[in-house]
Amino acid sequence: MASTALPRNTLLRRTITTDSTFSSNANSANASPTDSPSHSASSTSLSSLGSVNEEDISTTRAKLLDTYGNEFELPDFTIKQIRDAIPAHCMERSGARGLAYVARDVASLAITFLIFHNSVTPENVPSYAARFALWSLYTFVQGLFGTGLWVLAHECGHQSFSPSKTLNDTVGWICHSALLVPYFSWKISHGKHHKATGHLERDMVFVPKDREQYASRMGYLVHELSEVVEETPIATALHMIAQQLLGWIMYITTNVTGHNQHERQSEGRGKGKSNGFFGGVNHFNPSSPLYEAKDEKLILLSDLGLAITAGVLIAIGKNFGWANVAVWYGVPYLWVNHWLVAITYLQHTDPSLPHYEPHAWNFARGAAATIDREFGFVGRHLMHGIVETHVLHHYVSTIPFYHADEATEAIKPIMGKHYRSDVKDGPIGFLKSMYKSARWCQWIEPCEGAEKEGVLFFRNRNGLGVPPQKI
């Protein structure tokens, strides 16, 4: 059981995951609000060996090792313990405070546009190269402010923006629609992600490839992966660029990185449908297996929001030119998508994180299979702490971001070694983690000798960390 002693650190201190070590005792987590894991074959068999010394058993039982080689132990705390540890005032939401943050972000976007539009002109800046550089800076800055607005709409989707569902959904729909995000469609699928984080058959985003899927994508046989040569750094970089440019668009249009178990959809909507182009799985079609029949009007309302924004952009393009639309809105939009994919990818992809087969999953375990990082001023102020307090967010998503640091500190003693954070090198470390995770985390597989435990970890072909199994 994790220690409940209060930490001596300040609110912003975080534990660096790679320095932690794990013990070999795999205890079961309790009090899932949804599924509870059944006993694995190994734990059931151990219970029948009453006369055998437990210390002797532990020496023969296969170990669970994360990619770093740290021994992994299943979380043994309950959801009730997590919620009870959080101060009551951290649950309080203020609509006025939320609207003030929206006004701040919208004002930042508007003021930035006015400054550049009025100042960076051929008259004021005769050099084309200088104007190009300044407008490139504009797109980057607007991308940061736009991501902040995206995060506030994300708060609305979780009902952490205010106590009013009507206000939350109104603000969320307007803000996300302005960013070409289908608000209700995303809200529904994202809620399902929170209910099944780390579940290999039900999670909705960044479900990692298993060994067979990865081998097939790379053109290898499964048994060849342990002998395949290292992926070149340039290949890793090209994959990352494609992910950052197209990841979000591919997700909402083809459900890439989401689960592909649509045949199991309760209303039969997934029959014959699968992820990919023309597979019938997307965030725009009311008949998509991501949704139920009751969601149809909300999906159409999301589409209406996108149509309104598209109409406004078309009108601007016709009146002011498409090149201006590309600079004013298009490139900042790609920056927002980049940050969104980077943030989400790094929240759920790390050499220390487990993933669970259905029989081993429960809510407490899944929510702990996330990681906090540090992005400095940009993360804490412009992006409203979404990078730094994600673990807490997966346990209680209705806590507003301005209380999340305090609530995070409150749950750390309960989570103990199961709280994961990587803050080495601050914002630079956050950016470096993208490349590191791409190199270390290529597919998941069970640990050797522990195939029945239902806990899988990342492995890679690059000779980093625990080697893949030889088949």
Side-chain angles (χ1 to χ4, degrees):
M1 186 67 186
S3 170
T4 57
L6 291 176
R8 293 175 292 176
N9 52 316
T10 63
L11 284 182
L12 303 186
R13 181 178 180 273
R14 306 230 177 267
T15 305
I16 299 177
T17 307
T18 54
D19 289 342
S20 60
T21 56
F22 297 94
S23 65
S24 60
N25 183 24
N27 297 319
S28 172
N30 302 311
S32 165
T34 51
D35 297 346
S36 294
S38 58
H39 293 295
S40 66
S42 58
S43 63
T44 304
S45 62
L46 289 180
S47 65
S48 66
L49 302 176
S51 61
V52 180
N53 186 289
E54 290 187 3
E55 292 184 1
D56 293 336
I57 294 173
S58 67
T59 61
T60 59
R61 186 176 184 178
K63 294 179 179 180
L64 298 174
L65 299 177
D66 69 16
T67 318
Y68 290 124
N70 293 325
E71 194 167 341
F72 178 77
E73 180 180 315
L74 290 169
D76 59 356
F77 50 82
T78 67
I79 301 301
K80 183 178 186 304
Q81 287 175 300
I82 291 287
R83 296 189 71 94
D84 288 349
I86 300 171
H89 68 267
C90 289
M91 308 287 185
E92 296 174 1
R93 300 161 291 172
S94 169
R97 190 169 182 178
L99 288 171
Y101 279 107
V102 171
R104 187 201 76 174
D105 287 354
V106 171
S108 298
L109 289 163
I111 292 170
T112 302
F113 173 78
L114 290 173
I115 290 174
F116 278 80
H117 181 64
N118 293 322
S119 302
V120 187
T121 63
E123 294 78 15
N124 296 327
V125 185
S127 169
Y128 176 82
R131 291 200 309 276
F132 182 88
L134 288 170
W135 278 110
S136 297
L137 175 63
Y138 162 89
T139 66
F140 175 75
V141 173
Q142 293 291 70
L144 295 178
F145 291 143
T147 304
L149 191 64
W150 205 109
V151 173
L152 293 177
H154 165 268
E155 293 269 303
C156 292
H158 282 292
Q159 307 301 308
S160 57
F161 184 81
S162 82
S164 169
K165 186 176 186 298
T166 300
L167 177 62
N168 294 338
D169 286 340
T170 300
V171 173
W173 180 76
I174 292 172
C175 293
H176 262 178
S177 296
L179 296 167
L180 288 177
V181 177
Y183 171 72
F184 289 104
S185 307
W186 163 86
K187 171 186 171 181
I188 294 167
S189 67
H190 188 67
K192 293 179 179 179
H193 157 64
H194 270 257
K195 292 177 181 178
T197 305
H199 191 298
L200 288 174
E201 294 185 5
R202 288 173 42 210
D203 202 352
M204 302 295 287
V205 66
F206 281 113
V207 178
K209 294 178 177 60
D210 62 25
R211 184 178 181 130
E212 182 178 359
Q213 291 167 333
Y214 180 85
S216 176
R217 185 175 76 99
M218 301 303 296
Y220 297 111
L221 298 176
V222 174
H223 71 273
E224 294 177 326
L225 281 183
S226 61
E227 302 171 359
V228 170
V229 296
E230 175 182 350
E231 181 178 73
T232 63
I234 188 64
T236 303
L238 290 173
H239 174 76
M240 290 174 58
I241 291 171
Q243 173 181 282
Q244 297 310 119
L245 277 176
L246 302 174
W248 167 250
I249 296 172
M250 292 291 289
Y251 173 64
I252 61 175
T253 57
T254 69
N255 200 46
V256 65
T257 79
H259 78 74
N260 203 18
Q261 307 292 326
H262 305 298
E263 293 282 348
R264 303 179 183 181
Q265 207 271 351
S266 60
E267 298 176 345
R269 289 165 158 251
K271 187 174 181 181
K273 297 181 179 179
S274 62
N275 296 346
F277 291 108
F278 311 112
V281 185
N282 58 63
H283 281 69
F284 311 109
N285 190 341
S287 65
S288 170
L290 300 177
Y291 311 110
E292 285 75 48
K294 63 182 176 63
D295 301 322
E296 180 176 355
K297 292 181 180 179
L298 294 176
I299 308 308
L300 293 174
L301 185 56
S302 299
D303 294 344
L304 175 63
L306 300 182
I308 292 172
T309 300
V312 171
L313 292 173
I314 290 171
I316 294 173
K318 289 181 176 180
N319 286 279
F320 298 96
W322 294 106
N324 283 330
V325 172
V327 175
W328 295 343
Y329 185 93
V331 180
Y333 169 77
L334 293 178
W335 273 114
V336 172
N337 291 354
H338 155 72
W339 291 122
L340 172 63
V341 172
I343 291 166
T344 310
Y345 174 67
L346 290 179
Q347 287 167 341
H348 299 283
T349 309
D350 186 81
S352 67
L353 296 180
H355 286 78
Y356 297 96
E357 293 179 340
H359 71 275
W361 182 92
N362 71 14
F363 186 86
R365 294 176 183 177
T370 56
I371 185 168
D372 288 342
R373 300 186 188 272
E374 179 63 54
F375 204 20
F377 176 85
V378 170
R380 293 189 173 279
H381 297 284
L382 300 188
M383 297 180 181
H384 308 294
I386 194 172
V387 174
E388 293 80 9
T389 59
H390 191 69
V391 175
L392 176 277
H393 176 67
H394 264 275
Y395 279 107
V396 190
S397 59
T398 53
I399 292 178
F401 71 90
Y402 42 81
H403 292 318
D405 267 308
E406 182 178 0
T408 294
E409 292 302 318
I411 70 172
K412 281 183 181 180
I414 304 300
M415 294 188 68
K417 58 178 168 261
H418 298 292
Y419 171 77
R420 293 179 181 81
S421 180
D422 185 354
V423 299
K424 185 179 180 181
D425 299 329
I428 300 300
F430 174 81
L431 298 175
K432 289 166 61 178
S433 292
M434 295 177 62
Y435 182 78
K436 175 184 175 180
S437 291
R439 298 288 289 175
W440 281 71
C441 307
Q442 295 184 322
W443 73 85
I444 55 168
E445 64 179 50
C447 298
E448 189 167 1
E451 289 80 3
K452 295 183 179 180
E453 297 297 322
V455 185
L456 287 74
F457 291 95
F458 286 108
R459 298 293 185 256
N460 61 78
R461 55 188 271 203
N462 297 323
L464 299 170
V466 176
Q469 291 190 46
K470 293 185 177 182
I471 298 178

